[in-house]
Amino acid sequence: MTRPVATPARPEPSTARPAKQPANLAERSWWSRNQRSLAPYVFVSPFYLLYGLFLLVPILVGFYLSCTEWAGLGTPRWVGLRNYRDLLTDQSFWAAMGNTALYVLFTLCVVVPAALLIAQALNARGLRGRDMFRMTYFMPVVISPIVISVVFGLIFDKDYGLVNATLQAVFGFGGVDWLGDPAWARVSVVILVLWRWTGYLTIFFLAGLQNVPRELYEAAAIDGAGPVRRFWDVTLPALRPVTAFVAVTVLVNTAQIFDEPFLLTQGGPGESTLSVAMFVFRAGFQRQQLGYAAAAGVILFVVVFVLGQLAMRALGVGRSTR
Amino acid sequence: MNGMSRRSLLRAATGAGLGALALPGLTACGSSSGRTVSSGRVDVSLWTHDPGYIKTFQAAAGDKALMQGSRFDYRVKATNAAGSDVVTRTIAQAVAGGNTPDLAGVIVDQFPRVMGSAIAENLFVDLSDTVRPFEGELLKLAPYSVDKIPYGLDSDNSITVLYYRQDLFAKYGIPEDLDTWQDLARVGARVYDQHKVSLGMVSTGDNGAIVNGFLQFLLQRGGGIFDASGELVLDSAEAVEVLEFMAQGVRSGFLMSLPDPYGAVCGAALKSGRLAAAAMPNWYNVYGLQANAPEDKGKWRMRTLPRFAGGGHVASILGGTAFCVVKGKPNTEAALELLRRVYLTREGQLLRYHSGGFLPTLKSLYDDPELTSVADDYLGGQRVFDVYRAAAADLPLYYQAPGMQFLSDLLGGHILQALQGKTSAAAALKAGIRDYRQQVKR
């Protein structure tokens, strides 16, 4: 850190009030001596204070809790790493991890590309009713979860559901037990994820597309590139920073997925749609195993943190493209 | 930089935050202190999931006859929350030393959460002395007891009866007085085959609903999940028989599989007449039938359940909510007296029935003229206490244990597989018990 170039002029000794004036630098207050170098830290301190209070402290307390057995009342009992050891042999936890991995994979492989394609379509010249389309795609994000739960419960019902009725009318079969069969229940959850988040991600891609210089497309067209080639060679490279941001965000958020399986299937049938976040919720707030829940939460945190870091490095998030 | 380094500054800030948050979070535990209110005006805070209880307690507070001789002048300050949230928030507030309720309405399937780690003992008033004068008279106390100490008074007996559409029974030639489930299942299979109409339902939704539906039949058959000492007794011939009966019912169409017995799909089944009967508790009349099919007023009737050929009871139970008094608070004494007046007196029990439709929990009330004369318009003017009296006289006992939540989560999927014919009843129960034992050994 460089020192200030301009130093304040030393005060002239005064005979009028000599007792109140410091005789030399050593006699000045600590704050007076350091205020210039400390001032920036004072200004940035609110952030670090909040960062400490609301991020570091919960992480540290969570880690402490994860090494205890605590039902909520009374004093937590220290059990060391026992909760972690138990988690490794808990089939419910591994089921939740497997389901969560499936949701993450689906979101990255289907939802993100779908959002990109929809954004590309919405960005097309001459598209009428663009605002209406944008609003329609964005609407699922703002609909109340309770409404989603009721409506999708009806849509996916085996006997009275819209999906089965449509399948029956169009293809002549419609007996899929969307919410009662473990495999189909997972499919139902990922369909809900697709419906709920594709439009939201589309907004990011649309913003990115609108910043792609039109000259690049014109140059590519002059070189004889068709629409598909222009998409691969112009659009995708230009959208790389946005895509990287969306992919990392989606990875981190989907790894903590809770709403969709909770709303649609409550983690069932059995534990076939249980996610890790639901596992944590269930252990902490339905079974009063706060230490165990904290241990699962710490594992989730570590996994998400590591994956997020790896993804950011792989996709070059935060690095200059030059 | 002189004086304090950046690292030191950050370390100090983090340390201060850690101390500020961790200290109250980890050490505060227990109830708020204050001077005990022993007479006069008292604002009792009530947390519940059901507006019916709010109405009941507020009506009780203003009922001069019921409150005659009380030292307290009650006001009820109610907070409505989801059933599971009442327990979660009560515990959280107790941990934080915050604002716990004076009276907490705990749904029966949430009570196991307070059965372990001495939570009930630390949080709620021991009601042993309160209920002692009513020994043998109270119908349902066991599910809310820990080590045989009661911590909650049930609001309702949740007596399961058979509701049925009398007009559809007549139309399809179904006798209304069949003695056994086996007889009804045989007729039901024929009715489904010919008319695609079911005479009962099983839940295939969340694990709790699946297990509750199974438990309802199991209790009627004379089985149970836990015994009085909290030991698992699910590994029984009765359990296998009941699950086989349910699976067979689903296969034949006699029982309709529904995700939610109270939701929109069930409403559609009721409205369309595809569901012509249902074994459900007394409260299903209001919350299930009347809510989903108000236009069917006068068409429904109820009776005691057909017996299982192998034995058991003519009634069962499903659901319920107990009210617990939070201990160590200024209003604890007042809240306990309010609970006693509303739940353990004839006047209180009558008020509860008239305010919220809650059935008496004292046996003698089932012969009370004021109740025996009650006719239900939705049930075609049927005198419902004729049925409730017979059912209350043959109610099965029901015990819970701290592991009930585990069992519910783990057993649900296996039961569902049996209902879908993917595994046998015996194998499903065996797998569920194995999973449960693996998880609770921790």
Side-chain angles (χ1 to χ4, degrees):
Chain A
M1 189 174 179
T2 53
R3 286 188 166 278
V5 175
T7 51
R10 200 168 175 175
E12 291 293 321
S14 165
T15 52
R17 291 189 298 175
K20 291 187 179 179
Q21 296 292 331
N24 53 48
L25 192 66
E27 291 175 8
R28 289 166 62 195
S29 70
W30 180 85
W31 173 249
S32 299
R33 278 183 280 120
N34 296 290
Q35 61 179 325
R36 280 182 175 271
S37 53
L38 285 177
Y41 293 97
V42 172
F43 281 113
V44 300
S45 64
F47 166 77
Y48 283 102
L49 200 62
L50 295 176
Y51 181 81
L53 281 174
F54 296 111
L55 198 79
L56 293 181
V57 170
I59 290 171
L60 294 174
V61 172
F63 184 72
Y64 166 74
L65 270 184
S66 73
C67 296
T68 67
E69 189 179 273
W70 193 38
L73 285 180
T75 309
R77 191 168 66 88
W78 183 263
V79 295
L81 298 177
R82 196 189 76 188
N83 287 328
Y84 293 95
R85 189 197 64 201
D86 289 345
L87 277 172
L88 295 179
T89 57
D90 187 338
Q91 59 181 5
S92 299
F93 180 69
W94 286 110
M97 288 287 270
N99 292 332
T100 306
L102 179 77
Y103 299 142
V104 170
L105 205 62
F106 170 82
T107 312
L108 286 175
C109 296
V110 178
V111 178
V112 173
L116 176 59
L117 291 178
I118 292 171
Q120 179 75 8
L122 289 179
N123 198 45
R125 281 185 168 180
L127 177 70
R128 290 183 182 177
R130 180 176 301 171
D131 288 345
M132 187 200 72
F133 284 120
R134 285 182 192 174
M135 190 187 73
T136 308
Y137 283 115
F138 192 74
M139 197 169 281
V141 180
V142 294
I143 291 180
S144 157
I146 300 296
V147 176
I148 293 172
S149 163
V150 172
V151 171
F152 273 81
L154 268 174
I155 287 174
F156 285 121
D157 185 71
K158 182 164 75 78
D159 296 311
Y160 294 90
L162 180 67
V163 179
N164 273 354
T166 307
L167 289 174
Q168 181 70 42
V170 178
F171 301 108
F173 70 90
V176 180
D177 194 356
W178 292 98
L179 302 176
D181 181 86
W184 285 114
R186 288 189 196 104
V187 173
S188 304
V189 170
V190 296
I191 290 173
L192 180 55
V193 170
L194 178 71
W195 173 82
R196 203 164 177 218
W197 295 112
T198 303
Y200 178 70
L201 300 181
T202 299
I203 303 296
F204 292 99
F205 284 120
L206 201 52
L209 283 171
Q210 286 167 354
N211 285 327
V212 180
R214 194 137 296 278
E215 299 82 35
L216 293 178
Y217 289 109
E218 290 166 0
I222 290 169
D223 289 343
V228 175
R229 190 71 189 268
R230 287 203 295 273
F231 178 77
W232 283 108
D233 290 346
V234 178
T235 306
L236 281 185
L239 283 183
R240 191 164 172 269
V242 177
T243 309
F245 167 77
V246 167
V248 172
T249 309
V250 161
L251 169 74
V252 171
N253 286 343
T254 314
Q256 302 170 70
I257 187 170
F258 180 87
D259 289 14
E260 287 80 3
F262 186 77
L263 290 172
L264 199 60
T265 59
Q266 298 267 312
E271 293 176 329
S272 59
T273 57
L274 187 74
S275 68
V276 179
M278 280 187 72
F279 179 92
V280 173
F281 173 80
R282 190 178 77 175
F285 300 110
Q286 292 180 340
R287 296 178 172 182
Q288 301 305 130
Q289 298 178 301
L290 295 176
Y292 198 57
V298 168
I299 290 180
L300 177 64
F301 165 75
V302 170
V303 171
V304 170
F305 184 80
V306 170
L307 286 180
Q309 289 294 318
L310 289 176
M312 284 206 290
R313 284 175 190 276
L315 298 169
V317 174
R319 282 200 301 250
S320 171
T321 53
R322 294 186 181 183
Chain B
M1 181 180 165
N2 292 332
M4 185 178 277
S5 69
R6 181 177 60 177
R7 186 176 296 277
S8 304
L9 187 68
L10 293 176
R11 197 178 290 152
T14 307
L18 187 68
L21 277 193
L23 199 63
L26 295 179
T27 59
C29 173
S31 310
S32 57
S33 58
R35 205 162 58 84
T36 301
V37 178
S38 55
S39 64
R41 164 78 181 259
V42 55
D43 293 320
V44 172
S45 64
L46 169 81
W47 289 8
T48 175
H49 71 290
D50 184 346
Y53 295 122
I54 298 173
K55 188 179 163 194
T56 299
F57 275 98
Q58 287 178 336
D63 189 317
K64 288 199 171 69
L66 182 62
M67 294 300 160
Q68 193 175 23
S70 173
R71 290 170 292 151
F72 301 103
D73 175 18
Y74 289 104
R75 302 286 185 282
V76 176
K77 290 171 65 180
T79 300
N80 216 178
S84 58
D85 287 354
V86 171
V87 177
T88 304
R89 291 178 190 183
T90 300
I91 293 174
Q93 288 293 332
V95 172
N99 185 24
T100 49
D102 299 317
L103 277 170
V106 181
I107 298 180
V108 65
D109 62 8
Q110 295 295 316
F111 193 78
R113 292 175 57 185
V114 301
M115 293 180 86
S117 305
I119 296 179
E121 182 188 332
N122 282 308
L123 203 55
F124 300 133
V125 170
D126 173 352
L127 298 175
S128 301
D129 293 339
T130 307
V131 301
R132 191 163 292 126
F134 302 91
E135 202 163 343
E137 172 76 348
L138 270 166
L139 282 166
K140 206 168 109 196
L141 211 53
Y144 308 101
S145 298
V146 183
D147 295 333
K148 297 186 178 168
I149 296 172
Y151 289 100
L153 291 183
D154 205 339
S155 301
D156 200 333
N157 279 325
S158 308
I159 295 174
T160 301
V161 293
L162 183 72
Y163 292 100
Y164 62 96
R165 279 276 297 270
Q166 194 175 44
D167 58 328
L168 295 179
F169 267 45
K171 181 178 175 184
Y172 302 130
I174 309 167
E176 293 179 39
D177 56 353
L178 288 172
D179 281 340
T180 65
W181 277 116
Q182 284 74 10
D183 290 341
L184 188 61
R186 198 178 56 251
V187 175
R190 191 248 315 156
V191 171
Y192 183 79
D193 196 40
Q194 294 174 356
H195 307 286
K196 298 290 178 237
V197 168
S198 299
L199 302 183
M201 58 179 161
V202 295
S203 178
T204 53
D206 63 274
N207 291 322
I210 293 169
V211 173
N212 279 341
F214 166 69
L215 178 61
Q216 180 177 240
F217 282 121
L218 179 60
L219 291 173
Q220 193 208 343
R221 176 62 186 84
I225 288 184
F226 295 101
D227 64 11
S229 59
E231 286 298 315
L232 191 74
V233 292
L234 184 61
D235 189 7
S236 67
E238 289 87 0
V240 175
E241 179 192 329
V242 163
L243 190 50
E244 274 174 355
F245 166 77
M246 293 170 71
Q248 172 59 31
V250 172
R251 273 199 298 279
S252 71
F254 156 60
L255 297 175
M256 177 183 283
S257 42
L258 289 168
D260 176 7
Y262 324 105
V265 175
C266 184
L270 290 169
K271 281 174 184 292
S272 64
R274 281 190 60 189
L275 187 59
M280 289 299 275
N282 57 287
W283 42 262
Y284 195 71
N285 180 7
V286 173
Y287 295 102
L289 299 177
Q290 293 186 37
N292 281 310
E295 66 278 9
D296 288 340
K297 182 179 179 181
K299 295 177 182 172
W300 287 86
R301 297 289 184 277
M302 70 178 203
R303 51 159 288 188
T304 53
L305 296 174
R307 287 182 185 278
F308 280 93
H313 307 267
V314 295
S316 190
I317 45 180
L318 176 65
T321 296
F323 273 88
C324 307
V325 180
V326 177
K327 71 194 290 188
K329 299 192 68 188
N331 290 347
T332 294
E333 188 184 332
L336 183 59
E337 187 187 317
L338 178 64
L339 183 66
R340 192 182 59 74
R341 283 176 180 264
V342 180
Y343 276 61
L344 296 175
T345 62
R346 174 184 178 272
E347 294 73 21
Q349 297 246 323
L350 293 178
L351 179 139
R352 292 187 323 118
Y353 181 74
H354 292 306
S355 295
F358 307 115
L359 285 184
T361 49
L362 295 171
K363 282 180 186 170
S364 57
L365 268 292
Y366 285 83
D367 292 315
D368 194 289
E370 191 170 332
L371 291 176
T372 54
S373 60
V374 169
D376 190 311
D377 289 341
Y378 190 79
L379 300 175
Q382 186 177 6
R383 288 161 60 102
V384 289
F385 274 83
D386 292 347
V387 179
Y388 289 143
R389 185 172 54 244
D394 193 20
L395 269 186
L397 277 174
Y398 171 42
Y399 301 100
Q400 298 207 93
M404 187 66 200
Q405 299 264 341
F406 290 80
L407 187 75
S408 199
D409 289 331
L410 296 166
L411 193 59
H414 295 296
I415 289 180
L416 187 62
Q417 290 216 319
L419 295 177
Q420 292 171 335
K422 294 174 182 169
T423 185
S424 70
L429 292 171
K430 193 176 171 187
I433 292 168
R434 182 199 60 217
D435 291 353
Y436 171 76
R437 293 202 191 285
Q438 189 204 5
Q439 293 230 350
V440 293
K441 75 180 179 191
R442 283 200 304 272

